[in-house]
Amino acid sequence: MNSKTAEISRCHTHLPNEKKELWEKLLQIKSEKQGTWIIMGDFNTVRRREERHNSSFCPSSAFWFNKFIDRAGLFDPRMGGHRFTFFCQSERKLSKLDRYLVCSNFITAFPHTTVVAQPRELSDHCPITLQTETDDYGKPLFRFLNSWLNREGFDQFIKDTLTKFKGYGAPDAYLAAKLRYLKEEIRKKRAIDYPDEIAELRRMK
């Protein structure tokens, strides 16, 4: 699997038309080179108005930048850490100029991809890192919703599950094991029922 990386360096003299020309060249290069793409760096433009603070927003530049991302089939992973990546100390200007853009192949391989803007030290830009894995803290906490009791057949499911349990030991250990068994069976049932519930909600909209 080939990997292509392009880095966009900052140039304050770029006009909107020049940036548009750059997006077209990148789009052409990407269309000619099949593989897994990661394009990263300082793009010197933003995607939306809220990505600038105390700094002028150019709708035209944002439009063509977003159009390039869409036409290239790229994704802009969620960024954590700092909201802005560029800080102009003399004029107190803040902007999100740095980002990673990744293709669908990359997202398929690493569905939990995130970007983190790290603390700034010597540079006027925050270093940004691409993270492809999330910390594993084990199974999520078990939560029981009262609304489940209103679903047809759920109470019978509870009775049948408790009847099927086979255990031994002291009464307190037996009860704890029985409840753990019930919890796991409910988890399995919810994993099956949840997609159908989502589909039902969409049909109701």
Side-chain angles (χ1 to χ4, degrees), residues 70-113:
D70 181 61
R71 290 176 62 194
L74 297 172
F75 297 86
D76 186 2
R78 178 176 57 86
M79 180 179 288
H82 296 272
R83 179 181 175 186
F84 302 102
T85 64
F86 172 71
F87 175 57
C88 180
Q89 188 169 3
S90 60
E91 302 179 40
R92 307 293 295 180
K93 293 182 178 180
L94 300 170
S95 300
K96 182 181 177 181
L97 301 181
D98 308 82
R99 65 183 78 234
Y100 281 88
L101 300 174
V102 299
C103 70
S104 58
N105 289 345
F106 188 90
I107 292 296
T108 300
F110 305 102
H112 301 296
T113 294

Side-chain angles (χ1 to χ4, degrees), residues 12-23 44-45 58-65:
H12 289 295
T13 60
H14 282 172
L15 298 173
N17 285 340
E18 293 173 323
K19 292 178 182 178
K20 179 183 175 183
E21 184 179 349
L22 174 62
W23 309 144
N44 196 29
T45 191
C58 179
S60 175
S61 292
F63 172 81
W64 289 113
F65 186 36

Side-chain angles (χ1 to χ4, degrees), residues 12 84 112 157 164-165 174 177 189:
H12 289 295
F84 302 102
H112 301 296
F157 165 78
K164 288 187 296 183
F165 175 75
Y174 176 86
K189 180 174 175 54

Side-chain angles (χ1 to χ4, degrees), residues 47-154:
R47 300 192 63 186
R48 51 190 69 88
R49 188 179 299 274
E50 55 267 29
E51 291 182 349
R52 287 195 182 273
H53 175 73
N54 198 31
S55 178
S56 60
F57 172 72
C58 179
S60 175
S61 292
F63 172 81
W64 289 113
F65 186 36
N66 284 316
K67 193 172 184 63
F68 156 70
I69 293 173
D70 181 61
R71 290 176 62 194
L74 297 172
F75 297 86
D76 186 2
R78 178 176 57 86
M79 180 179 288
H82 296 272
R83 179 181 175 186
F84 302 102
T85 64
F86 172 71
F87 175 57
C88 180
Q89 188 169 3
S90 60
E91 302 179 40
R92 307 293 295 180
K93 293 182 178 180
L94 300 170
S95 300
K96 182 181 177 181
L97 301 181
D98 308 82
R99 65 183 78 234
Y100 281 88
L101 300 174
V102 299
C103 70
S104 58
N105 289 345
F106 188 90
I107 292 296
T108 300
F110 305 102
H112 301 296
T113 294
T114 57
V115 175
V116 179
Q118 306 291 347
R120 227 175 18 91
E121 293 185 1
L122 301 179
S123 174
D124 53 3
H125 284 257
C126 293
I128 58 174
T129 55
L130 189 69
Q131 181 173 312
T132 58
E133 296 182 359
T134 56
D135 295 327
D136 185 4
Y137 297 103
K139 290 183 178 180
L141 293 176
F142 177 76
R143 293 182 174 86
F144 187 93
L145 302 181
N146 290 335
S147 59
W148 296 350
L149 297 174
N150 296 326
R151 299 194 69 84
E152 183 178 354
F154 192 82

